[in-house]
């Protein structure tokens, strides 16, 4: 990523949830800030629904970065906020200042982005702007993708990192010839860390505290977690704080405790999904890795009804990112939920 940035290339970073994209961006930012050549801005689009809200998020990111000086907010930033019609209010709950932007028309969005770009270009150090959960823009008004693309081209001085969890969508956005972002960035997939590397890493950490963990336990942790950074970290953390010697028995015990704690949340999914969606989700978890959800045997075995309703259910589950396709296999995205579903 540092190579891409130093050589003026934008980056698309994509991976499933909780693999470490956001953590990696923050880690990269530490290095970039340390080099004194770059200034970094982080923006999260997860909660945004339209172009206006994304502009507000970007403006807030800029304000977070440059607005909190001891001398108060600088003249340039003040001018910028005024030009995009942003106002600074105090959040009644936290007491912290917050930006709000009033935007309705897309033309206004283009103007506001332009003003933000001019400000970013005017900084002495190079700006690296990370836009996390970028797949969210596919939920915005149809012209949003093109408007963003134009903006990115308008400010070639600024380096962008587009990060997102919806792998197929991110890939499509940046590789389909008709899409505005076609071939505009370097695609970098973040894959699970290799088991061999992870085994050394985990064993060493336990050894440092004079704790023992068998290699087969680590393989089990890895398998239960599908290599997902978050679940591995959580499991290891709990094992570390509970035991002195760890075998597969302790791994199973702790993993079960983790699932039990989530039960209330998982049970709630049943209420927000249709019956077929719920049954299909359960069946996918039980058959992991499932390659053909439309096969007669699979549908009959789990009593899922008509192929067409399975198709509709999977489409809806994929749209919500509850089900993903990874190397041809259908998976329940949330690995802990997947494991829990196999038990009911
Ligand atoms: N380098 C790391 N070392 C240890 N744990 C990590 C590391 N990176 C990520 N994690 C763990 O993985 C979790 C998910 O990471 P995050 O960056 O939020 O994933 P993503 O943005 O891909 O959804 C973190 O909360 C943390 O527990
Ligand atoms: Mg993230």
């Amino acid at each position: 990523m540092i190579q891409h940035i130093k050589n003026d290339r934008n980056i698309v970073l994509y991976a499933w949830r909780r693999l470490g994209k956001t953590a990696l961006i923050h880690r990269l930012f530490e290095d970039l800030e340390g080099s004194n050549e770059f200034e970094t801005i982080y923006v999260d689009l997860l909660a945004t629904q339209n172009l206006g809200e994304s502009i507000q998020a970007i403006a807030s990111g800029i304000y977070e970065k440059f607005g909190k000086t001891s001398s108060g907010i600088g003249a340039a930033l003040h001018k910028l906020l005024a030009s995009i019609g942003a106002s600074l209010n105090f959040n009644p709950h936290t007491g912290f200042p917050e930006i709000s932007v009033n935007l309705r028309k897309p033309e206004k969005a283009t103007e506001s982005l332009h003003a933000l770009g001019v400000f970013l270009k005017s900084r002495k150090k190079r700006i690296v702007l990370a836009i996390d959960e970028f797949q969210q823009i596919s939920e915005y008004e149809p012209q949003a993708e093109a408007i963003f693309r134009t903006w990115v081209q308008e400010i070639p001085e600024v380096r962008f990192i587009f990060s997102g969890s919806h792998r197929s969508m991110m890939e499509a956005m940046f590789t389909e010839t008709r899409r505005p972002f076609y071939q505009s960035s370097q695609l970098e997939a973040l894959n699970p860390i290799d088991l061999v590397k992870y085994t050394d890493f985990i064993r060493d950490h336990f050894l440092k505290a004079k704790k023992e963990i068998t290699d087969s336990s680590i393989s089990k942790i890895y398998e239960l977690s599908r290599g997902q950074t978050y679940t591995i970290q959580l499991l290891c953390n709990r094992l570390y704080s509970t035991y002195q010697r760890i075998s597969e028995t302790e791994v199973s015990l702790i993993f079960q405790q983790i699932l039990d704690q989530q039960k209330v949340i998982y049970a709630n999914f049943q209420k927000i999904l249709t019956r077929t969606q719920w049954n299909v989700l359960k069946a996918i978890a039980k058959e992991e890795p499932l390659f053909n959800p439309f096969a007669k045997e699979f549908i009959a075995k789990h009593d899922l009804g008509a192929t067409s309703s399975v198709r509709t259910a999977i489409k809806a589950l994929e749209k919500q990112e509850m089900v993903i396709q990874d190397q041809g296999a259908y998976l329940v995205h949330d690995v802990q939920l997947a494991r829990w579903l196999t038990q009911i």
Side-chain angles (χ1 to χ4, degrees), residues 37-251:
E37 280 176 67
F38 298 96
E39 283 182 309
T40 59
I41 301 168
Y42 175 83
V43 177
D44 184 351
L45 297 186
L46 188 63
T48 61
Q49 304 291 334
N50 53 50
L51 203 50
E53 287 178 12
S54 70
I55 290 171
Q56 172 156 334
I58 296 170
S60 300
I62 293 175
Y63 173 72
E64 290 284 314
K65 181 74 189 186
F66 303 112
K68 294 181 172 164
T69 56
S70 51
S71 53
I73 152 170
L77 189 58
H78 212 286
K79 202 172 128 214
L80 169 70
L81 295 180
S83 76
I84 65 169
S87 52
L88 202 57
N89 305 304
F90 286 90
N91 180 315
H93 304 293
T94 63
F96 288 117
E98 267 181 7
I99 303 266
S100 62
V101 184
N102 240 332
L103 277 173
R104 269 173 220 99
K105 299 199 191 84
E107 307 89 76
K108 194 89 180 90
T110 306
E111 274 171 44
S112 298
L113 282 170
H114 178 75
L116 293 170
V118 170
F119 175 82
L120 293 176
K121 276 205 287 203
S122 73
R123 304 291 309 176
K124 282 200 196 71
K125 290 184 191 172
R126 300 289 301 277
I127 297 286
V128 182
L129 176 57
I131 307 188
D132 208 352
E133 307 290 355
F134 189 69
Q135 79 279 348
Q136 200 60 28
I137 77 162
S138 67
E139 303 283 320
Y140 300 173
E141 46 278 57
Q143 66 273 48
E145 210 174 309
I147 291 175
F148 254 110
R149 171 71 174 131
T150 308
W151 183 54
V152 170
Q153 279 175 331
E154 210 179 274
I155 43 174
E157 298 85 349
V158 175
R159 286 285 64 74
F160 283 86
I161 299 171
F162 305 102
S163 174
S165 61
H166 204 306
R167 196 163 173 153
S168 47
M169 191 188 292
M170 291 291 284
E171 268 178 338
M173 212 184 276
F174 290 89
T175 57
E176 280 174 12
T177 46
R178 284 174 316 172
R179 302 285 282 269
F181 276 101
Y182 176 63
Q183 283 198 343
S184 61
S185 306
Q186 303 297 309
L187 265 66
E188 292 291 352
L190 184 66
N191 291 312
I193 294 167
D194 180 61
L195 172 62
V196 177
K197 289 207 180 101
Y198 237 140
T199 304
D200 290 344
F201 176 81
I202 293 170
R203 203 198 305 106
D204 289 354
H205 273 284
F206 280 82
L207 274 179
K208 265 186 213 146
K210 302 209 164 33
K211 289 169 189 272
E212 245 177 72
I213 182 163
T214 61
D215 284 5
S216 63
S217 310
I218 298 175
S219 299
K220 184 166 181 127
I221 291 168
Y222 192 86
E223 199 182 303
L224 286 169
S225 314
R226 268 193 218 133
Q228 187 204 55
T229 322
Y230 172 76
T231 304
I232 294 180
Q233 168 71 20
L234 180 65
L235 254 170
C236 287
N237 178 273
R238 297 277 286 266
L239 287 164
Y240 186 94
S241 61
T242 316
Y243 301 109
Q244 209 50 42
R245 305 169 80 97
I246 293 123
S247 69
E248 291 180 53
T249 318
E250 284 74 33
V251 174

Side-chain angles (χ1 to χ4, degrees), residues 276 294 299 303-312:
T276 314
F294 310 113
I299 292 177
D303 202 9
L304 299 176
T307 313
S308 59
S309 33
V310 172
R311 208 174 285 280
T312 313

Side-chain angles (χ1 to χ4, degrees), residues 16-24 132-133 229-230 233:
W16 303 126
R17 288 212 192 106
R18 294 180 156 185
L19 261 175
K21 298 178 293 297
T22 304
L24 184 62
D132 208 352
E133 307 290 355
T229 322
Y230 172 76
Q233 168 71 20

